Amino acid sequence: MKSSTNAAKRWLYIMPIVFITYSLAYLDRANFSFASAAGINDDLGITKGVSSLLGALFFLGYFFFQIPGAIYAERRSVRKLIFVCLILWGGCASLTGMVTNIPMLAAIRFILGVVEAAVMPAMLIYISSWFTKSERSRANTFLILGNPVTVLWMSVVSGYLIQALGWREMFIIEGVPAIIWAFAWWMLVRDKPAQVGWLSESEKSALQTQLDQEQQGIKAVRNYGEAFRSRNVILLCMQYFAWSIGVYGFVLWLPSIIRNGGANLGMVEVGWLSSVPYLAATIAMILASWASDKLQNRKLFVWPLLLIGGFAFIGSWAVGANHFWASYTLLVIAGAAMYAPYGPFFAIIPEMLPRNVAGGAMALINSMGALGSFFGSWFVGYLNGATGSPAASYIFMGVALFASVWLTLIVKPANDKTIPTGARHA
């Protein structure tokens, strides 16, 4: 009789920890969008062009430190890395509420990006050590659900905090939970199943056997250089760059777009309206990841959804600024469609590359996403400021999503021959 890996116990123990950790990371990067809509620009004398650059600076720091963080996580310890990162990013987030000038704000935004850079690839590496191929899309989705679910409640809470206290107090208060959670993380987390006491020896052995068997079906790759030069990895880097332009152009500027488009909306109303796309995204992500694991098909739950997102942006541009609720409804659809494919997308890489290089490849792809996020959040903010309306940015984000659709379609299946022959073990 085949030994059980006790999936239920792993899901109940690991997933809440993973979800909370990534939620706190996302809280401390995304709340800048509410400060931008609530007066930080006027208080610090920030022009619209500089505001878009400050919002995007996070992703520049995020871009440069992805791969070093992932290599440390893969070769040393996810547990130690995330513990330090939690304390540092919580501190940086709270310090944002104490800035008195633009250079201080720019420095903190960049440093926040640096200390959060390793979180996403490290957590994906962590998940790949605990969940099998048939579980991985759903596990990745529960990680990334920290993104829309956080923005969902953060949109409401931040709106109330700003109205009651101000944007400075919002930053200070919302940075503290990450520092507190760091110590809970340290107590609860171990890097590998073999290190925990809450699985039996037979369960640990069965899980490790299954993970090892899955590795046997993947062609060996000698090192990171070989993996990074493979056709699929290059295409996925380009795809995630284009996709992230749409996502973060949307995330960072949605509150400002809603406030400028809706007559006489206060920050609480903006908060509630900003939360709706993320509620839709949460539902869409769960459904897409479940179907992807059920059918064991990843691409089918990536490109069609991104295509819908692209058309929703173009539709929002077509209905025009004078039809606020029609445009807003299309933005809700765009948000849900852009978020839904994350779980299936990040399941592609560990099923395509062996364990020794998969973490580095995920970091490279995620760093290209960070570069797309930097460009998207900066250029969308610039277009909104320069044109006085979001119309041009809708077209820009729509076209970026169409490009990501095409790039997804030309990625070959996981069992293709894209890894150079010289990369295989003898």
Side-chain angles (χ1 to χ4, degrees):
M1 183 177 172
K2 187 179 178 180
S3 299
S4 169
T5 63
N6 205 327
K9 194 184 286 186
R10 286 183 288 114
W11 280 92
L12 289 171
Y13 191 94
I14 299 292
M15 277 298 109
I17 296 169
V18 162
F19 177 81
I20 292 168
T21 305
Y22 194 63
S23 292
L24 292 172
Y26 212 79
L27 167 66
D28 291 335
R29 80 177 70 165
N31 57 8
F32 185 81
S33 63
F34 279 84
S36 295
I40 189 173
N41 296 348
D42 294 336
D43 291 351
L44 298 182
I46 301 169
T47 64
K48 288 183 177 178
V50 172
S51 177
S52 64
L53 182 61
L54 286 169
L57 264 177
F58 169 90
F59 299 105
L60 206 55
Y62 199 76
F63 166 72
F64 283 115
F65 288 86
Q66 287 274 310
I67 295 174
I71 291 172
Y72 180 90
E74 202 162 47
R75 296 182 177 175
R76 301 287 185 87
S77 172
V78 173
R79 178 177 178 240
K80 292 177 182 176
L81 180 68
I82 298 296
F83 173 72
V84 173
C85 287
L86 275 161
I87 293 172
L88 291 176
W89 91 56
C92 284
S94 290
L95 283 173
T96 310
M98 303 175 193
V99 298
T100 56
N101 55 58
I102 295 172
M104 283 176 65
L105 181 58
I108 285 175
R109 288 297 293 173
F110 181 80
I111 294 168
L112 186 63
V114 170
V115 298
E116 281 195 27
V119 176
M120 178 72 161
M123 297 301 273
L124 289 167
I125 290 165
Y126 182 63
I127 283 171
S128 70
S129 298
W130 284 91
F131 294 94
T132 64
K133 182 178 178 179
S134 64
E135 304 166 322
R136 204 163 285 141
S137 177
R138 284 168 292 154
N140 290 343
T141 292
F142 273 93
L143 163 67
I144 301 163
L145 272 176
N147 173 328
V149 171
T150 300
V151 183
L152 172 64
W153 65 260
M154 181 206 75
S155 297
V156 178
V157 171
S158 297
Y160 279 108
L161 283 174
I162 288 170
Q163 183 156 299
L165 301 169
W167 62 264
R168 290 185 181 278
E169 290 78 6
M170 177 201 72
F171 279 125
I172 293 167
I173 291 167
E174 291 183 350
V176 172
I179 299 170
I180 296 171
W181 179 249
F183 298 96
W185 165 273
W186 185 258
M187 296 295 293
L188 293 169
V189 168
R190 296 295 180 268
D191 285 303
K192 305 289 183 185
Q195 298 168 344
V196 301
W198 47 267
L199 286 176
S200 70
E201 291 304 316
S202 63
E203 289 165 348
K204 294 177 192 177
S205 177
L207 176 59
Q208 193 58 53
T209 299
Q210 194 166 340
L211 292 169
D212 290 343
Q213 285 174 348
E214 290 171 5
Q215 289 292 302
Q216 292 170 12
I218 302 172
K219 287 190 292 292
V221 180
R222 188 168 51 222
N223 53 39
Y224 289 122
E226 298 284 3
F228 293 174
R229 288 194 297 272
S230 72
R231 178 182 182 274
N232 276 351
V233 170
I234 292 168
L235 288 174
L236 289 172
C237 284
M238 295 165 63
Q239 189 271 9
Y240 200 47
F241 176 90
W243 179 3
S244 297
I245 285 174
V247 171
Y248 283 93
F250 178 86
V251 169
L252 267 186
W253 301 110
L254 181 64
S256 297
I257 288 170
I258 291 173
R259 192 167 197 192
N260 294 334
N264 303 317
L265 289 176
M267 281 309 299
V268 171
E269 290 84 1
V270 168
W272 280 104
L273 288 173
S274 296
S275 71
V276 175
Y278 302 102
L279 176 60
T282 300
I283 296 166
M285 287 176 76
I286 292 169
L287 292 174
S289 65
W290 176 84
S292 174
D293 275 347
K294 188 79 172 172
L295 299 176
Q296 282 296 294
N297 190 320
R298 307 310 185 190
K299 284 172 58 173
L300 184 62
F301 296 94
V302 177
W303 71 263
L305 290 159
L306 296 179
L307 187 64
I308 291 169
F311 278 123
F313 276 129
I314 299 300
S316 196
W317 162 76
V319 300
N322 294 328
H323 300 86
F324 174 78
W325 290 109
S327 178
Y328 171 75
T329 301
L330 287 163
L331 289 179
V332 171
I333 294 169
M338 285 191 297
Y339 274 97
Y342 274 119
F345 178 80
F346 279 107
I348 292 171
I349 300 124
E351 293 169 10
M352 184 179 70
L353 292 169
R355 190 181 297 150
N356 65 309
V357 294
M362 285 190 284
L364 178 67
I365 292 164
N366 206 42
S367 70
M368 290 299 107
L371 205 57
S373 303
F374 170 79
F375 183 65
S377 53
W378 167 71
F379 199 60
V380 167
Y382 171 79
L383 286 173
N384 291 348
T387 64
S389 90
S393 61
Y394 291 155
I395 297 172
F396 172 62
M397 290 187 282
V399 169
L401 290 182
F402 292 147
S404 72
V405 168
W406 175 70
L407 289 162
T408 307
L409 286 169
I410 61 174
V411 171
K412 293 182 180 178
N415 61 351
D416 70 353
K417 307 292 185 185
T418 60
I419 304 301
T421 304
R424 302 175 197 173
H425 290 305

